[in-house]
Amino acid sequence: MDKIWDNYVEVKRELEDIVALMKKETKCKDKVIENSIKDLIESGGKMVRPAFVIIGSHFGNRDKERVKALGAVLELFHMATLVHDDVIDDAKLRRGNETVQSRYGKDYAVYIGDYLFCVCFKILASNASLASIKMDSKSMSRICMGEVNQLNSRFSTKLSVKDYLSRISGKTAELFSLSLYLGAAESGCEKKLTKRLWNIGHNIGMAFQIIDDVLDYVGNDESIKKSAANDLKQGIFTIPFIYAYNNDKDAFKKYLEADSITNNEVKEIIELVKQNNGVNKAIDLAQKYTDKAFKDIDKLPENEYKEVLRALAEKLILRKY
């Protein structure tokens, strides 16, 4: 369990219950599938999404078993998307560990991801209202379309901030929103409150992803810069690049016209992005979403979990560059 939860004993205890449920629900006759999923569960993720479910539920009349089930669904769905992402990206490592597709092959990885999706809906069928299942399905569709949009935008020179924001809204922010929303909605919270929690999740998710994309360009750790290199080589252009490119298209022209991008060219592009104010403008954009998130958190009803949410948001989106 990530150290982030050491200061929140009750949340940590519920997250440990969710981990146990995930292991129970993913038992399988095929031991390769079962063991690979067990490795994913134990790989050291922050468990932010199930934590959001727990936090959202504390604003209503919560059913602890239902909350546990919904938290497991959100984390298993997140894991499924990561497994499929790694297949598409041909990624070798995830959280410092060998990826499923690298260890077992792409065929097994696809089936493992599919199996995780099936487990999600099996749990939902017994633990969520029809309205929440519909909301889940819509969100899952948006997340998949976010991935498709990213795939279709590779090496595109039609780079707009609007398209990028739409992409990360589906790819990252949607699951943050859904997590807070489901916890509250399934605990009987009023519509106005569930909407506010949805918006908080959205703004945290947007800021979180933008900051991650900024860190690809300014992080001192080589493992962070490798992420930027990987994105650029695959033609995935994130917000710092988009701002810089739109500021001076000619400066990037030769790189976009080439058949591939070398390691040295990646370094050159990173410097060009900084010179063309791409990083600073991206930081300003992240701050706008950050301010919106904290403004809405301030408006939540007073209880101890409001402060837990604030502290978690600070951990996620108040980061040094």
Side-chain angles (χ1 to χ4, degrees), residues 74-91:
L74 271 296
E75 188 66 12
L76 289 170
F77 180 79
H78 175 56
M79 285 168 47
T81 63
L82 296 182
V83 171
H84 283 174
D85 275 357
D86 290 339
V87 172
I88 294 168
D89 297 341
D90 197 27

Side-chain angles (χ1 to χ4, degrees), residues 161-176:
V161 174
K162 182 180 178 181
D163 288 342
Y164 166 83
L165 294 177
S166 176
R167 188 171 84 207
I168 69 168
S169 176
K171 192 170 180 289
T172 303
E174 186 77 17
L175 211 50
F176 279 39

Side-chain angles (χ1 to χ4, degrees), residues 138-295:
K138 287 181 180 179
S139 288
M140 290 175 184
S141 175
R142 291 190 195 107
I143 292 165
C144 290
M145 289 310 301
E147 296 288 355
V148 171
N149 289 339
Q150 177 171 287
L151 185 65
N152 290 337
S153 69
R154 286 183 174 181
F155 290 102
S156 173
T157 55
K158 297 177 181 178
L159 306 173
S160 75
V161 174
K162 182 180 178 181
D163 288 342
Y164 166 83
L165 294 177
S166 176
R167 188 171 84 207
I168 69 168
S169 176
K171 192 170 180 289
T172 303
E174 186 77 17
L175 211 50
F176 279 39
S177 300
L178 183 63
S179 301
L180 276 171
Y181 170 88
L182 274 185
E186 289 294 320
S187 299
C189 292
E190 293 181 358
K191 189 174 181 179
K192 183 179 180 181
L193 179 54
T194 59
K195 184 177 180 180
R196 175 156 286 147
L197 285 163
W198 176 281
N199 289 338
I200 291 169
H202 172 79
N203 289 319
I204 290 174
M206 295 295 282
F208 177 83
Q209 186 59 59
I210 293 167
I211 291 165
D212 254 18
D213 292 337
V214 168
L215 290 173
D216 286 345
Y217 286 84
V218 303
N220 293 320
D221 191 304
E222 284 304 309
S223 66
I224 294 174
K225 291 197 175 184
K226 284 178 184 175
S227 179
N230 189 49
D231 281 350
L232 288 169
K233 286 180 177 180
Q234 293 185 62
I236 298 171
F237 304 124
T238 58
I239 192 65
F241 183 96
I242 293 168
Y243 274 136
Y245 174 80
N246 288 334
N247 186 61
D248 186 357
K249 291 181 172 62
D250 288 339
F252 296 91
K253 187 177 180 181
K254 72 172 184 177
Y255 303 105
L256 296 178
E257 289 178 346
D259 293 331
S260 60
I261 297 174
T262 67
N263 287 332
N264 283 336
E265 287 172 336
V266 165
K267 293 177 182 178
E268 292 171 8
I269 291 170
I270 289 174
E271 288 307 310
L272 278 174
V273 166
K274 293 176 182 177
Q275 290 168 20
N276 282 279
N277 210 31
V279 168
N280 290 334
K281 290 190 73 173
I283 290 173
D284 289 343
L285 181 62
Q287 189 61 50
K288 289 178 181 178
Y289 284 104
T290 298
D291 291 343
K292 288 179 183 178
F294 284 110
K295 185 177 180 180

Side-chain angles (χ1 to χ4, degrees), residues 12-124:
K12 183 176 182 179
R13 187 175 293 123
E14 289 196 52
L15 288 174
E16 288 170 345
D17 288 343
I18 289 171
V19 167
L21 179 62
M22 289 163 62
K23 290 179 179 178
K24 177 184 174 183
E25 292 292 340
T26 53
K27 287 187 179 297
C28 178
K29 289 181 180 179
D30 188 308
K31 294 306 171 186
V32 171
I33 291 179
E34 182 178 328
N35 290 332
S36 65
I37 293 173
K38 183 180 177 183
D39 288 343
L40 285 172
I41 293 171
E42 295 176 347
S43 66
K46 288 186 174 64
M47 299 282 285
V48 170
R49 293 150 193 87
F52 276 173
V53 175
I54 293 168
I55 291 168
S57 74
H58 277 281
F59 289 92
N61 298 312
R62 64 199 306 268
D63 178 326
K64 188 173 180 180
E65 291 305 307
R66 177 175 285 188
V67 170
K68 184 166 68 173
L70 293 172
V73 167
L74 271 296
E75 188 66 12
L76 289 170
F77 180 79
H78 175 56
M79 285 168 47
T81 63
L82 296 182
V83 171
H84 283 174
D85 275 357
D86 290 339
V87 172
I88 294 168
D89 297 341
D90 197 27
K92 305 300 181 188
L93 294 174
R94 166 75 66 178
R95 297 170 182 164
N97 300 312
E98 189 176 12
T99 60
V100 173
Q101 70 93 21
S102 176
R103 186 172 182 181
Y104 299 106
K106 293 182 183 294
D107 292 348
Y108 246 114
V110 169
Y111 288 129
I112 287 167
D114 290 348
Y115 180 71
L116 287 169
F117 286 129
C118 293
V119 173
C120 288
F121 281 103
K122 182 183 76 172
I123 299 173
L124 274 176

